[in-house]
Amino acid sequence: MTTAPPPADTATRLTGLVRALRGHGLRIGPAETVDAAAVLDVLGLADREQMRAGLAAALLRSDGQRAVFDATFDLFFPLGVGTPEALRTHPAGHLAEHPDGNPPRNPDDSPPPRFGRPDPLRDDLRERLAAALAADDRTAQSRLAREVVEAFGRYGTGNTPTSDGWSAHQALGRLAPETLLARILAALREQAGAPDLSDRVLADEIRRRIQDFRALVTTEARRRVAELRGAERIAERAVAPTADRIDFLAAGRDQLAELRRTVHPLARKLATRLAARRRRAARGQIDLRRTLRRSLSTGGVPLRPAYRLRRPARPELVLLCDVSGSVAGFADFTMLLVQAMNEQFSKVRVFAFVNRTAEVTALLSRGGADPARLAARILAEAKVMGHHGNSDYGSALGEFAERHLDAVGPRTSVLILGDARNNHRDPNLDALRRIAGRARRVYWLNPEQPALWPTGDSAALAYTDVVEMHSCRNARRLTELIARLLPV
């Protein structure tokens, strides 16, 4: 197993890395690529972590891109290539006793029970892992990650390369490192002589170390799969996207938390963009008569065009958001984003619904300190549900048109947020027409892809006959739409 890619292969690996990062939406041009090549020329390949830091400095533009960069870097500049010789002849002799270097498999090729019959190899690895985690020995943990993947991570028969591979989930399921918490805690307490009062702090530190080890196993399994199927393919399919490219409907709790942390940077960027548009719009059209008059002082050359100035007023904005479970994360993020951009509008009013509609503008304003529980607060404190908890767009639009239509005027832009899945109820298109008839503009932002709009209980196609509907699956797309659609 070599410890670094051969120098002749460096240019190919660097261009592959750049191409994969571009595929994840990172803006990397020829200049940054040339800078990265210069970094490699100066730093060399001896110190991998120094090389990682140098390439990140040359290629990245924000801290939010680092996670994608690190995972992709590990594919194109791996810690090693192939199976280490030491793992083929395990020092304890457990791997060597099997011809293919792997423990026996069940007939159905599924992993054996986690804690069934005695497994000397697993017990040995768990003992060594507990010691490495207690000592916080990163070198030992890296070696153990490779051993764990080699011992427990392989799946397939070896006869069909396209179906063979390596699974971090399978390997970690066999090893179960999270069950070592009590053992490591006892070892640390014994070493440090710490009082019981510090057990919580120690437990949190052990969980962090276990999580870091799980990441090492995931990286090693991904490296092995990349050797089988190509780094480019695995970089495209197995590297988690940046927060602004995560689908709202597929985002987990941690990903939604990461999205919420991006709200204020995105809001500042959008505010700057909208302010620039407003300044350009204020200049108006060229005043030909005044321009010609000015050109007399420059020999007839119109060096200083004159414009018919106008004073565009800041628009009003109304948000109408579905906060039911299926799209709550999407509505939550959008409400927070608009609230952070509040100064860009003369008035912002926010309404939420499941099957009833209620204004939540005040709730959003005073609840900004705890964005993670925004949707839960709305469901608990606002009357957005009637006798059942299922989405009913027709009923919600009808209630808005009857009770809150005074919020919409000729300067108002209305954004409706939801997947338009109406549980086969009446979509109430007349209510939507009444709203569209009073507003300056109405846009519907749907977190589902257009291919799903005609399926199931979706009323999206019916609503597109009345208002303009846009697919808005992630934060990047949402930012683009708000910047393009909202008036100045």
Side-chain angles (χ1 to χ4, degrees):
M1 173 179 169
T2 57
T3 58
D9 199 31
T10 302
T12 302
R13 291 177 181 273
L14 177 59
T15 54
L17 171 66
V18 170
R19 192 160 47 243
L21 292 175
R22 286 174 179 167
H24 280 278
L26 277 64
R27 296 181 179 178
I28 301 174
E32 288 83 3
T33 306
V34 171
D35 289 343
V39 166
L40 287 180
D41 186 50
V42 172
L43 296 180
L45 306 177
D47 189 330
R48 182 168 176 268
E49 292 308 312
Q50 188 179 54
M51 179 174 61
R52 182 199 299 268
L55 289 178
L59 296 175
L60 304 186
R61 300 188 180 187
S62 69
D63 291 340
Q65 300 170 341
R66 187 60 190 261
V68 170
F69 170 83
D70 284 339
T72 310
F73 174 88
D74 287 333
L75 293 175
F76 288 91
F77 293 91
L79 185 60
V81 178
T83 303
E85 289 293 334
L87 297 190
R88 298 193 181 116
T89 55
H90 191 274
H94 301 302
L95 287 179
E97 65 192 35
H98 304 293
D100 62 350
N102 292 290
R105 300 291 180 185
N106 286 342
D108 62 353
D109 200 38
S110 59
R114 182 183 292 182
F115 297 112
R117 63 181 182 274
D119 188 334
L121 173 58
R122 187 194 65 211
D123 294 342
D124 173 64
L125 289 172
R126 282 170 56 84
E127 288 289 341
R128 292 162 56 204
L129 177 60
L133 291 173
D136 199 17
D137 187 341
R138 297 287 295 182
T139 302
Q141 291 172 37
S142 296
R143 175 183 169 78
L144 282 166
R146 296 194 294 272
E147 293 187 35
V148 167
V149 172
E150 178 68 24
F152 303 135
R154 179 179 293 176
Y155 62 85
T157 62
N159 297 324
T160 54
T162 56
S163 65
D164 290 351
W166 302 87
S167 169
H169 178 75
Q170 176 177 297
L172 289 167
R174 282 290 307 275
L175 190 69
E178 62 277 359
T179 61
L180 297 173
L181 176 63
R183 185 186 306 181
I184 301 170
L185 181 61
L188 285 177
R189 192 187 301 123
E190 181 179 351
Q191 292 172 7
D196 293 341
L197 188 63
S198 65
D199 278 1
R200 175 177 291 184
V201 177
L202 285 175
D204 289 343
E205 173 63 17
I206 296 167
R207 291 188 185 96
R208 182 194 64 78
R209 295 180 188 180
I210 292 174
Q211 192 64 31
D212 290 345
F213 177 76
R214 294 178 68 91
L216 290 174
V217 173
T218 301
T219 299
E220 174 65 12
R222 191 185 294 134
R223 177 189 74 80
R224 298 287 190 94
V225 176
E227 289 183 4
L228 288 175
R229 301 175 186 171
E232 293 82 1
R233 182 180 179 186
I234 302 306
E236 177 185 354
R237 301 188 178 188
V239 174
T242 53
D244 63 343
R245 293 170 67 92
I246 297 171
D247 281 9
F248 289 116
L249 299 185
R253 180 180 301 177
D254 294 340
Q255 292 172 322
L256 286 174
E258 178 65 24
L259 274 175
R260 294 185 188 101
R261 286 193 287 271
T262 68
V263 163
H264 289 286
L266 276 178
R268 288 195 298 269
K269 184 184 297 183
L270 272 175
T272 301
R273 198 175 300 175
L274 291 176
R277 283 180 56 194
R278 190 170 291 114
R279 287 194 298 270
R280 288 194 298 269
R283 295 169 65 182
Q285 297 179 341
I286 290 181
D287 187 326
L288 184 59
R289 179 177 297 178
R290 290 174 57 210
T291 299
L292 291 176
R293 187 180 300 122
R294 282 185 180 181
S295 69
L296 295 177
S297 63
T298 56
V301 180
L303 296 178
R304 295 185 299 118
Y307 296 89
R308 294 189 181 96
L309 298 180
R310 66 186 183 93
R311 296 287 184 267
R314 293 187 177 185
E316 299 175 0
L317 184 64
V318 167
L319 286 184
L320 188 55
C321 311
D322 181 0
V323 292
S324 61
S326 59
V327 291
F330 168 52
D332 179 1
F333 178 81
T334 308
M335 285 188 285
L336 291 171
L337 180 63
V338 170
Q339 181 64 22
M341 295 171 56
N342 188 43
E343 294 181 356
Q344 297 301 312
F345 308 98
S346 60
K347 183 185 296 184
V348 176
R349 297 182 68 177
V350 183
F351 298 84
F353 69 89
V354 175
N355 46 62
R356 295 189 59 186
T357 303
E359 183 168 6
V360 296
T361 308
L363 182 61
L364 183 65
S365 300
R366 69 172 183 266
D370 185 17
R373 293 185 51 81
L374 175 59
R377 288 198 308 273
I378 291 174
L379 291 173
E381 301 181 32
K383 295 180 180 179
V384 296
M385 286 190 291
H387 299 296
H388 60 85
N390 299 323
S391 296
D392 186 344
Y393 282 79
S395 176
L397 290 172
E399 185 171 1
F400 180 85
E402 291 295 328
R403 299 180 54 191
H404 305 290
L405 202 57
D406 60 337
V408 181
R411 290 171 49 195
T412 305
S413 291
V414 179
L415 292 182
I416 302 175
L417 313 177
D419 58 7
R421 295 208 168 266
N422 201 35
N423 292 294
H424 302 289
R425 294 184 170 87
D426 177 16
N428 199 350
L429 300 181
D430 289 338
L432 184 58
R433 291 190 184 97
R434 289 179 61 191
I435 298 170
R438 284 181 59 95
R440 180 179 179 181
R441 291 182 178 88
V442 178
Y443 298 112
W444 193 306
L445 305 186
N446 191 327
E448 289 189 340
Q449 54 184 319
L452 297 177
W453 294 357
T455 64
D457 59 352
S458 175
L461 295 184
Y463 288 129
T464 56
D465 292 336
V466 182
V467 299
E468 195 174 326
M469 185 174 290
H470 297 269
S471 178
C472 186
R473 299 174 60 189
N474 53 51
R476 172 169 293 195
R477 177 64 173 162
L478 175 64
T479 304
E480 294 171 352
L481 285 173
I482 289 180
R484 179 165 61 88
L485 298 179
L486 291 184
V488 294

